[in-house]
Each structure stands twice: as C-alpha cells, then as structure tokens.
Amino acid sequence: MFYYNDLKTLIELEIMGAEIKTPENGIKTSLTERSDVLDHFFDVRSFTMELVEPLKTEDFIIQIVEHASPAKWHLAHTSWFFEAFFLEKAMDDYKTKHPKYGYLFNSYYLQTGEPHCRNKRGNLSRPTVQEVLDYRKYVNEHVQDFLETCSEEEFEKWRSVIEVGLNHEQQHQELLVTDLKIMFGQNPLHPVYTAEKRPSADPQPELTWHSYDEGVYEIGHPGGEFGYDNEFPRHKTYIHDFQLANRLITNGEYLEFMNDGGYKDPKFWLDEGYATVVDDEWNAPLYWKKQDGNWHHFTLNGLEPIDMNEPVTHVSYFEADAYARWAGCRLPTEFEWELASEPLPLEGNFVDKKYFHPAPAQPSKPGLQQMFGDAWQWTRSSYAAYPGYETFPGALGEYNGKFMCNQYVLRGGSCATSKSHYRKTYRNFFHAKFRWQFTSIRLAK
C-alpha cells in the first residue's frame, strides 16, 4: 500500500503495480518509522511521474542546452541514485537492471565511476522511455522489498541515505519543471505544458522596508531534522543594521529599468555582467519577447502577455545586481535573508499548488511577502563553506562541497520547489549568468 495524491496519473499505476489510496493529510514528512519512509518514498516517486504525465513521448528525449537534461534522464538518474548509494551497498544479492545504466545515468559522482558526457544526454534514443519506466519500477520494488524485510539495525543504518535520495529526487523534480520550460520555450509553437488558472492581484502593495538591528546572530541549520551538509554547522555571524523590502520586484518595475536604458548603461553592471549582456545580446529577462509591440513571456501555460504585477523571474545575478544598483539599493546577504525569514510561517506558492509560475503579492497582506515559494531570490553572498563545514563521507561528499567556487547563493525556494523539501536554511547556488531557474529580486539597503 502507498499513498497517492492524483488518481488521474495512470502511468504511475502501471509502474508501481500497487494498491492506491488517497492520503487524508497530504505527504508525510516524518521518516522515523519504516512505514513513514516507505510512504514518503512512494509519495515522492509518484509526484515525479505526475510531473511528466502531460508529456508526449518525444518530449522525454530533447536536451536544449548542456545544463538542462532530458526528462527521460531525470527519471533514470533519480533511480540510479537509489541504486548506487543504497541498493548496491545494502543488498548483497542486488543486480542492476543494465550494466551500462551506472555509466549513462551518473551525473558527476566521480567516486562511483565515470559518467556519460553531460552535454550528450539528449543524443540517446536508447534506452527507450518505456525501458526507463521499467527501470524505475525495478528500483521501486527493491527499495520496497528492503524496507519491508530488513532488520531494525539495517533500517537505522540506511534510513538517512534513503532520505538523502528522496530529497535528491525532489531537487530533480524542480529541475524537471525548469528543464521542460526551457525545452518548450525554444519551440515556436509555444506548447502548453498544463493550463492552470493562477492568482492575480491589482494593485501591488507599495514597496516598503522592514528594519533589522545589528548584532551577532546564529545562522545555519539547528539540527533535529534533515538538512544538506552545506547548511551546517550553525554558527554565529555579525550582521549590520539593514532593511529588507516587503516583496519581490515586479515585472512592471523591472520594465522601468529596461525602458530607462538599463541594459545599455554599463555604470549599473559588474564588468563580467556587462560583457555577458553584450556577448549574449540580452535586452530583457529570459523568455521575454516583443510581439505586436507588446512584451510577452513564455510560461508553462504557453505564451502570455506580461502581467506587470507578477514578480520578475528568470533573471541572472548580473541582472538582479544591476537592477538593485539602478534602484539605489543592493541585494541582501544570505545571512540577512535568513534572519528576516526565521519568525515567518513557512507558507508560499510552492510546486504543490501546481501553478508552475510565481504569483503576485497580495495588497492587503502586512509584513514580508513572497519569502518562500514563487521564485528563488538572489543574494550577494558567494557560495562558500560555513566555519567548521564538513562534507558527507564518500561519494555523497561530492553533492555540494565541490561546487563552492564562483557561484552565488539563492534563498526562498520557488514555484517549482516542493514545500516538504524546503527549509529556511536551504542554500541554493548558481553561476552569475544562469537564468533558466525561477530566479527573482528582493532589494535590501
């Protein structure tokens, strides 16, 4: 028995071959009992399949750019992860579905073996989509068998690794959404992934400021629940007086920057940022295009006129930093952001709502808005280790630590992030020129 949220996704029934029932209280998050682990395992694995349910077979294979993988690869890689880090080590008699899958579906874990070329994932017509679905079923069955038959000692030994695998899959669910968007966004037909009615708000609340006093504050994961190694250890840091804007910058406000020649004036830009603007001919956020004299943007609902009240998204660190300078402000540090977020309820427009797009702020709502969900918020903090940081042992240590160079930290989650995956201490990170994620701007001063 496993829980399932959407009985219309018949493809998952074929894969799991299990009895279905709808949960009364949504997805379970406690993983202290093996029944909780098994339930959450199938919840997460089922939601991945729910995300690909609208796709046609041809949609599973395409890779537009190196950093955006085919949907088929995501389905296989998340299964390989459980295989490589759990099943092959925990089960003496485990045999992989195919000896080449460890090569094809490894991403960058060099301690587990040589990975296939990242930029050639879209070149593979085989294994077929159905063979990948069979692979997922095979892995699911073995995880289920282990959890139902293992001793308590074995369960305690491997429970945390399974939890890492589930959080890893939720990360790939987010990547799956954004990779599908960049794939559909290159298609002149502007395909509709799923037609969803989204919230609206007019007018937007005035941009106001919340003040925070200087002092020594504790930052980082406090322990007691799951967290990635880069969130630890909790440590003290000094934060100066600062103010944080009550909401994200809107499309309309960003358009003012554009109309004021923001993309043509180097005084607002970091040197590398302006070189990128010139070399890549940027004049607007990713997915924006003029049609009949008006700005439109591609969404997973298809091509739409820009809603001036929605948060601007798909902007790089360079663009966020340039806008902040143009506005006479700056981006917050990740420590300022975390301090401001601590007393707030963890509520927002996450992928669970299935809007797949940021929502506008609500004019009647006081305090900080849009802190969680909607869009990842660039900070001015370079992605680096906290004092006393230690990586996971073995190949899992390649998960975060080796990327702590030339990237910036983002906070808050997005409309493609699962709520059960997100924490206020969560540290996302990207290179300064990347724009394909749902990334936005919150000002500080």
Side-chain angles (χ1 to χ4, degrees):
M1 177 73 71
F2 66 92
Y3 293 93
Y4 193 63
N5 286 326
D6 187 352
L7 297 178
K8 294 186 292 183
T9 310
L10 298 178
I11 191 170
E12 186 64 12
L13 309 189
E14 177 185 347
I15 296 169
M16 299 298 184
E19 184 182 354
I20 308 296
K21 79 172 185 178
T22 304
E24 296 178 359
N25 298 313
I27 292 176
K28 294 177 178 290
T29 57
S30 172
L31 300 183
T32 58
E33 303 293 334
R34 69 174 71 201
S35 60
D36 293 329
V37 175
L38 189 59
D39 287 345
H40 192 48
F41 175 80
F42 281 118
D43 281 333
V44 171
R45 298 284 280 175
S46 297
F47 189 65
T48 302
M49 299 309 303
E50 191 172 338
L51 290 174
V52 300
E53 193 272 338
L55 303 183
K56 305 301 181 185
T57 303
E58 294 80 359
D59 299 327
F60 282 86
I61 302 171
I62 295 176
Q63 180 178 25
I64 295 295
V65 290
E66 179 179 353
H67 59 256
S69 299
K72 182 177 71 171
W73 186 88
H74 285 295
L75 298 182
H77 168 71
T78 50
S79 300
W80 168 85
F81 192 94
F82 284 107
E83 189 174 75
F85 292 102
F86 167 50
L87 293 174
E88 290 181 349
K89 295 177 173 60
M91 302 180 74
D92 293 334
D93 59 348
Y94 180 80
K95 294 182 180 179
T96 182
K97 185 79 169 169
H98 193 289
K100 282 290 187 181
Y101 283 2
Y103 168 65
L104 293 177
F105 302 128
N106 182 1
S107 53
Y108 51 73
Y109 299 93
L110 299 179
Q111 295 182 55
T112 66
E114 180 187 2
H116 181 251
C117 296
R118 180 177 182 177
N119 63 347
K120 295 182 179 179
R121 292 170 183 168
N123 294 359
L124 302 175
S125 61
R126 306 296 175 91
T128 66
V129 174
Q130 184 57 55
E131 286 171 331
V132 168
L133 297 181
D134 291 341
Y135 180 41
R136 285 181 68 85
K137 178 181 178 182
Y138 183 80
V139 169
N140 290 343
E141 289 172 345
H142 281 82
V143 172
Q144 182 174 8
D145 179 61
F146 177 88
L147 289 174
E148 290 179 343
T149 62
C150 69
S151 67
E152 284 301 314
E153 182 180 1
E154 289 175 313
F155 172 71
E156 289 301 323
K157 178 180 179 180
W158 293 105
R159 176 172 59 88
S160 61
V161 177
I162 297 173
E163 193 167 7
V164 171
L166 292 174
N167 279 272
H168 167 262
E169 179 139 354
Q170 288 180 309
Q171 284 184 306
H172 277 270
Q173 290 169 354
E174 178 160 0
L175 292 170
L176 181 60
V177 171
T178 53
D179 290 358
L180 290 174
K181 183 170 184 178
I182 199 169
M183 178 187 71
F184 286 133
Q186 308 304 308
N187 191 322
L189 298 178
H190 306 305
V192 175
Y193 165 71
T194 178
E196 300 290 341
K197 185 176 180 180
R198 303 194 299 266
S200 61
D202 189 18
Q204 280 295 273
E206 180 183 356
L207 196 70
T208 58
W209 299 93
H210 293 254
S211 299
Y212 299 86
D213 294 332
E214 67 177 346
V216 177
Y217 294 92
E218 288 196 333
I219 297 296
H221 200 302
E225 62 178 17
F226 178 82
Y228 285 124
D229 57 0
N230 65 358
E231 301 170 52
F232 294 93
R234 192 163 177 85
H235 61 284
K236 293 182 174 63
T237 189
Y238 186 83
I239 299 176
H240 292 271
D241 290 336
F242 73 98
Q243 292 181 304
L244 194 67
N246 62 320
R247 57 166 173 80
L248 301 179
I249 295 302
T250 65
N251 288 324
E253 289 166 333
Y254 195 82
L255 187 57
E256 293 178 19
F257 164 72
M258 293 165 55
N259 291 338
D260 195 40
Y263 278 92
K264 298 179 180 179
D265 194 336
K267 72 182 179 183
F268 301 122
W269 296 82
L270 295 169
D271 180 68
E272 186 178 339
Y274 195 69
T276 303
V277 168
V278 173
D279 292 344
D280 294 349
E281 300 181 341
W282 286 357
N283 65 354
L286 184 63
Y287 300 122
W288 284 40
K289 62 188 301 182
K290 268 196 173 177
Q291 187 168 290
D292 300 326
N294 296 312
W295 283 107
H296 292 65
H297 63 165
F298 179 78
T299 75
L300 287 171
N301 274 18
L303 190 68
E304 298 180 337
I306 296 287
D307 184 334
M308 297 300 170
N309 295 316
E310 291 176 348
V312 63
T313 50
H314 299 293
V315 291
S316 65
Y317 175 84
F318 293 139
E319 290 163 297
D321 179 73
Y323 177 88
R325 295 169 190 266
W326 173 83
C329 302
R330 62 172 174 84
L331 300 177
T333 68
E334 65 165 318
F335 311 115
E336 291 169 341
W337 189 97
E338 187 172 319
L339 171 62
S341 76
E342 279 190 350
L344 304 178
L346 187 56
E347 299 173 352
N349 172 25
F350 290 98
V351 74
D352 313 67
K353 295 186 176 180
K354 299 180 184 177
Y355 296 140
F356 304 111
H357 194 78
Q362 298 302 308
S364 60
K365 187 176 180 180
L368 295 176
Q369 294 195 51
Q370 302 170 314
M371 286 291 283
F372 312 114
D374 286 310
W376 288 101
Q377 299 160 48
W378 285 107
T379 75
R380 66 190 304 183
S381 297
S382 296
Y383 180 50
Y386 286 163
Y389 166 75
E390 294 181 1
T391 62
F392 285 143
L396 283 177
E398 299 184 59
Y399 203 94
N400 287 307
K402 70 179 185 180
F403 299 110
M404 291 179 174
C405 179
N406 298 331
Q407 306 203 60
Y408 285 89
V409 175
L410 301 98
R411 293 297 193 105
S414 82
C415 56
T417 309
S418 173
K419 183 178 180 181
S420 66
H421 175 64
Y422 186 76
R423 299 165 298 284
K424 296 174 184 178
T425 56
Y426 198 112
R427 304 175 76 202
N428 204 349
F429 50 92
F430 286 106
H431 292 284
K433 68 178 183 179
F434 280 176
R435 318 199 285 176
W436 96 103
Q437 283 290 322
F438 290 96
T439 48
S440 190
I441 307 169
R442 185 183 297 271
L443 297 179
K445 60 182 181 180

